[in-house]
Amino acid sequence: MMSRLTVGALLVGLAATENSVFQINVPASLRKPGGYSHKASLFGRPSYASTTQRLYYAGDGGGHGTLCAFDTTKTYPTPFILMVDRGDCTFVTKARNAQQMGATALVVADNLCVCGAPCSPQAGCQYTEPVLADDGSGADIVIPAVMLPKQEADDIVNYFRCGKLPIQGRPQTCAWSPDWSQEATVQASLEYTVPNPDDRVEWELWTTSIDGASLDFLTAFKDTVLQLGTHQHFAPMMYTYNGSQYGCDVKQTGSDMCGNLCTNGGLYCAPDPDGSQDEGISGADVVAENLRRACLWDLVGGDDVADKNQVGVGKVWWDYVSEFTRLCSTAETFADDNCRATAMKNAGADKQAVDTCVEGSGGLEKGRNDVLDQAVEALDRENIVYVPECIVNGVVHYGSVDPPNILASICQGFPIQDRPPVCDCASDPRYDDCVANNGAAPVSSGSSSSSKDRVVEHDGMPWYGVLMLVVSVVVVMLLAGLAYWKRTQRQMRDQVRGILAEYMPMEDLGEALNPMQTEPDAAPVFSVNA
């Protein structure tokens, strides 16, 4: 599978709403209205329940607490949130080490000012706060992570360094002491939220037809979408950028500004997935497949689909993506029409209708394409930084893009009373089995259920299985009892016959001993007297 595609070099900023709040509760003097400005990580698992715990600082404010190695010399009473300095290693490495130390969340204190921000020193400032991206190894991170800008982090760091806030109007003069970091008691909270305005969650995934992280997720998440059904409304957003912004549509004598990255004379482009414009899959190939997937979605999952149960669901689209990923993901097969036709046939997609949409919207050769224009406009409007990027009810999903994590974000978008049963699977270690049973799989000990009408046995068997087992045992016991009763009756009859058979010969013997008797004996007289 191709590696994750990062497009941060092309775009900066996020248009969707932030959905996390970091706040200092103790001391009250550090509390800020609305919480601290911060950037949430693109890896880890956000906690939708408020995490309120003691905050410890691993550094000394001098860059000595970057936590780039697992520190066995420092231990903190659990549970706790850990604050570390930025620098020297990746954000994922810091989070992994914090996680191994027992932290439930990581806070990174930035050590560089943003140019023009109310922060000092401005020398060596950065243009914008960095994105806490996954370095490619963050699949094992299960705690959330955020980074505070320097001017926000300094207030907390100084409190840890001094054990108290500076007196109003007096400059900070205290020096670092290891004891003070323990004496300075700080309580922090971190919470992620998703708006839930109604009983249907609308979500979108920004992706490309070649992004490995997206394709792995799409292949694995299909059954979850089918279980959610019309409770959710999905929209795939295919990342295609405007080539005109980079002069790709301007032809220069003896050179091509953007090579084979674009279609339609340089109007619509995508990054080269393998980094070589001379061989392999080209950006133009990616744009073409993006267009076909956008057309297929309009045909099988768009708002105008005749089958209203497929609006926002689009089962055939998910099937096609899975089949294409399985059959056509190599450099030799990605742009092969025969491979694509096979994938569409296996998925039940109408290839002719898709081809008609591609050509009818403007094609891929010259001039503008209506479908690709819509994709470019959406990209500019939402100002996407990276792919895959998931947006749920208008807020960015932070954390890893994997089925349990995305399902958790989607389910937070439902009012509690309207959450479908499959939402319980987000915290189930046997996720696939749970989804296959629409939330009826056993959950791990101690986890809570938020859906309605959910009856689950914790020994691994659903309630209806237990009922059938009990009925079966009762029936077997009844049949066994009936068989035993019949056997006992038969044995009693045989014994009676045996007893009677023993007395019959004595009557015959009596006649032989008194052969002269011609009259029957007198009837015996029974009396209660002596």
Side-chain angles (χ1 to χ4, degrees):
M1 188 61 60
M2 282 82 175
S3 61
R4 177 170 177 159
L5 174 65
T6 302
V7 296
L10 298 175
L11 297 170
V12 294
L14 286 171
T17 306
E18 294 283 353
N19 68 325
S20 55
V21 177
F22 177 76
Q23 181 65 276
I24 298 296
N25 303 313
V26 177
S29 54
L30 283 179
R31 185 176 179 85
K32 296 191 175 184
Y36 282 68
S37 174
H38 65 279
K39 287 282 189 180
S41 68
L42 307 183
F43 55 85
R45 302 209 171 189
S47 173
Y48 289 101
S50 178
T51 301
T52 301
Q53 291 161 8
R54 183 164 178 175
L55 178 71
Y56 288 95
Y57 178 45
D60 60 8
H64 302 131
T66 55
L67 202 65
C68 289
F70 179 47
D71 191 348
T72 59
T73 65
K74 291 184 178 180
T75 59
Y76 306 101
T78 57
F80 64 93
I81 300 172
L82 188 61
M83 186 173 186
V84 303
D85 293 324
R86 179 187 174 187
D88 298 338
C89 59
T90 68
F91 296 115
V92 171
T93 299
K94 297 176 189 293
R96 181 176 293 111
N97 291 328
Q99 181 173 292
Q100 291 177 345
M101 293 175 68
T104 57
L106 174 70
V107 179
V108 180
D110 201 350
N111 57 0
L112 294 176
C113 293
V114 173
C115 299
C119 171
S120 62
Q122 284 286 307
C125 64
Q126 57 191 351
Y127 175 70
T128 185
E129 290 289 343
V131 175
L132 277 69
D134 192 340
D135 63 4
S137 68
D140 62 322
I141 305 302
V142 297
I143 64 172
V146 299
M147 184 168 71
L148 306 184
K150 188 175 186 301
Q151 67 272 19
E152 301 270 317
D154 281 351
D155 291 341
I156 305 173
V157 169
N158 286 336
Y159 184 82
F160 275 112
R161 292 184 68 203
C162 302
K164 60 181 180 180
L165 282 177
I167 297 175
Q168 187 69 29
R170 182 181 300 176
Q172 179 74 55
T173 57
C174 68
W176 162 251
S177 169
D179 295 334
W180 287 335
S181 67
Q182 298 298 321
E183 293 175 356
T185 302
V186 179
Q187 185 196 71
S189 61
L190 177 61
E191 182 178 9
Y192 291 78
T193 60
V194 176
N196 47 18
D198 52 38
D199 60 357
R200 188 181 80 166
V201 174
E202 298 180 358
W203 66 289
E204 60 189 45
L205 180 71
W206 279 92
T207 179
T208 77
S209 54
I210 201 64
D211 174 38
S214 296
L215 297 178
D216 290 342
F217 165 74
L218 291 171
T219 300
F221 202 62
K222 179 186 73 174
D223 290 340
T224 305
V225 169
L226 298 182
Q227 291 287 16
L228 288 169
T230 55
H231 293 291
Q232 58 83 54
H233 186 281
F234 172 63
M237 308 296 289
M238 309 308 297
Y239 171 78
T240 302
Y241 68 87
N242 185 355
S244 299
Q245 294 180 349
Y246 301 93
C248 297
D249 58 338
V250 177
K251 298 301 178 183
Q252 300 180 5
T253 304
S255 66
D256 190 341
M257 182 70 174
C258 299
N260 61 0
L261 298 180
C262 310
T263 65
N264 302 74
L267 292 177
Y268 313 107
C269 309
D272 188 287
D274 47 31
S276 173
Q277 294 193 23
D278 298 325
E279 58 184 4
I281 303 170
S282 69
D285 293 334
V286 175
V287 173
E289 181 60 21
N290 287 352
L291 174 58
R292 282 186 286 267
R293 294 190 184 186
C295 280
L296 179 59
W297 178 259
D298 287 341
L299 292 169
V300 302
D303 292 337
D304 296 329
V305 174
D307 185 355
K308 297 307 177 184
N309 289 326
Q310 290 299 312
V311 173
V313 177
K315 177 182 181 299
V316 172
W317 186 89
W318 293 86
D319 288 338
Y320 169 70
V321 171
S322 296
E323 284 297 298
F324 186 93
T325 301
R326 183 175 68 88
L327 299 173
C328 311
S329 289
T330 66
E332 295 75 22
T333 58
F334 186 86
D336 183 71
D337 188 65
N338 291 329
C339 185
R340 182 168 56 254
T342 301
M344 287 196 176
K345 180 180 178 181
N346 292 350
D350 187 341
K351 183 177 182 300
Q352 183 176 355
V354 173
D355 291 342
T356 299
C357 171
V358 169
E359 294 303 321
S361 60
L364 291 162
E365 296 300 324
K366 296 181 180 180
R368 308 207 70 86
N369 183 289
D370 295 338
V371 174
L372 292 176
D373 275 340
Q374 293 175 11
V376 168
E377 290 170 3
L379 182 68
D380 291 340
R381 180 176 64 252
E382 299 193 28
N383 205 9
I384 301 303
V385 177
Y386 56 88
V387 292
E389 178 176 337
C390 184
I391 299 175
V392 181
N393 277 357
V395 300
V396 176
H397 162 85
Y398 287 104
S400 59
V401 178
D402 61 66
N405 225 14
I406 296 297
L407 178 60
S409 290
I410 291 173
C411 290
Q412 284 297 315
F414 293 108
I416 293 178
Q417 69 275 11
D418 294 324
R419 289 178 186 170
V422 74
C423 286
D424 291 332
C425 299
S427 59
D428 197 307
R430 288 175 284 182
Y431 180 85
D432 292 337
D433 293 337
C434 182
V435 170
N437 289 285
N438 193 23
V443 298
S444 58
S445 177
S447 62
S448 60
S449 171
S450 59
S451 64
K452 301 179 295 182
D453 306 326
R454 181 173 182 265
V455 183
V456 176
E457 292 295 328
H458 290 269
D459 60 359
M461 182 177 294
W463 66 269
Y464 51 81
V466 175
L467 179 61
M468 292 179 62
L469 178 61
V470 171
V471 171
S472 299
V473 171
V474 171
V475 170
V476 170
M477 292 179 64
L478 289 174
L479 292 175
L482 179 62
Y484 178 78
W485 179 79
K486 287 186 176 181
R487 180 171 177 272
T488 302
Q489 292 298 311
R490 184 169 60 253
Q491 289 177 341
M492 291 179 63
R493 286 196 297 269
D494 291 343
Q495 290 177 357
V496 171
R497 290 193 185 101
I499 293 172
L500 292 176
E502 291 178 0
Y503 285 95
M504 290 297 294
M506 294 184 66
E507 294 177 0
D508 296 339
L509 181 61
E511 293 177 359
L513 293 175
N514 190 16
M516 301 303 295
Q517 181 177 343
T518 58
E519 297 293 332
D521 293 339
V525 178
F526 294 92
S527 175
V528 295
N529 299 319

